[in-house]
């Protein structure tokens, strides 16, 4: 149980993100994000998501880094793709790498052009 009442009084519920991680033996087992207000009421800044793509095997490693928290970040790929993860939350300054296998074989340039990355912030625009 966490008492965050002091933080709510200081910053307001719309400005608080509680990031939870469970580590066992140094390995990340589970993670979660708790919001103290509805996502549509959060005071979100443009996360300014940076995308770095590198070829790996039959697919691509897509590394995301956000300047500000990026809630509910998701990928879309023209022509379809399989993602190792999708619909993720990004903390400010931390990187997250997702492995993507496009439905059709393509080079890095074509893949990068077909990839779209958005977050909850983009739905407000």
């Amino acid at each position: 149980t966490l008492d965050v009442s002091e933080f709510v009084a200081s910053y307001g519920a719309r400005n608080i993100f509680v990031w939870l991680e469970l580590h066992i033996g140094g390995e990340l087992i589970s993670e979660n994000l708790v919001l103290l207000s509805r996502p549509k009421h959060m005071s979100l800044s443009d996360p300014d998501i940076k995308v770095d793509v590198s070829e790996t095997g039959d697919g691509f490693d897509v590394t995301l880094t956000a300047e500000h928290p990026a809630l509910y970040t998701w990928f879309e790929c023209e022509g379809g793709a399989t993602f190792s993860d999708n619909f993720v939350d990004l903390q400010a300054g931390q990187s997250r790498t997702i492995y993507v296998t496009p439905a059709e074989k393509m080079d890095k340039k074509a893949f990068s052009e077909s990839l779209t990355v958005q977050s909850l912030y983009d739905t407000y625009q």
Side-chain angles (χ1 to χ4, degrees), residues 72-115:
Y72 314 143
T73 304
W74 74 90
F75 295 95
E76 293 179 14
C77 184
E78 289 178 30
T82 302
F83 305 92
S84 65
D85 202 352
N86 209 347
F87 211 68
V88 298
D89 297 309
L90 301 172
Q91 294 184 45
Q94 291 189 339
S95 295
R96 181 101 178 231
T97 301
I98 310 295
Y99 183 71
V100 182
T101 307
E104 297 180 15
K105 184 119 175 99
M106 58 179 73
D107 64 20
K108 179 180 172 181
K109 183 178 187 290
F111 172 73
S112 296
E113 290 172 354
S114 73
L115 185 69

Side-chain angles (χ1 to χ4, degrees), residues 32-52:
N32 199 1
L33 170 64
V34 177
L35 303 176
L36 303 180
S37 69
R38 292 179 184 250
K40 68 181 183 179
H41 295 143
M42 298 298 294
S43 299
L44 298 174
S45 298
D46 182 352
D48 192 22
I49 300 170
K50 304 291 187 230
V51 179
D52 181 58

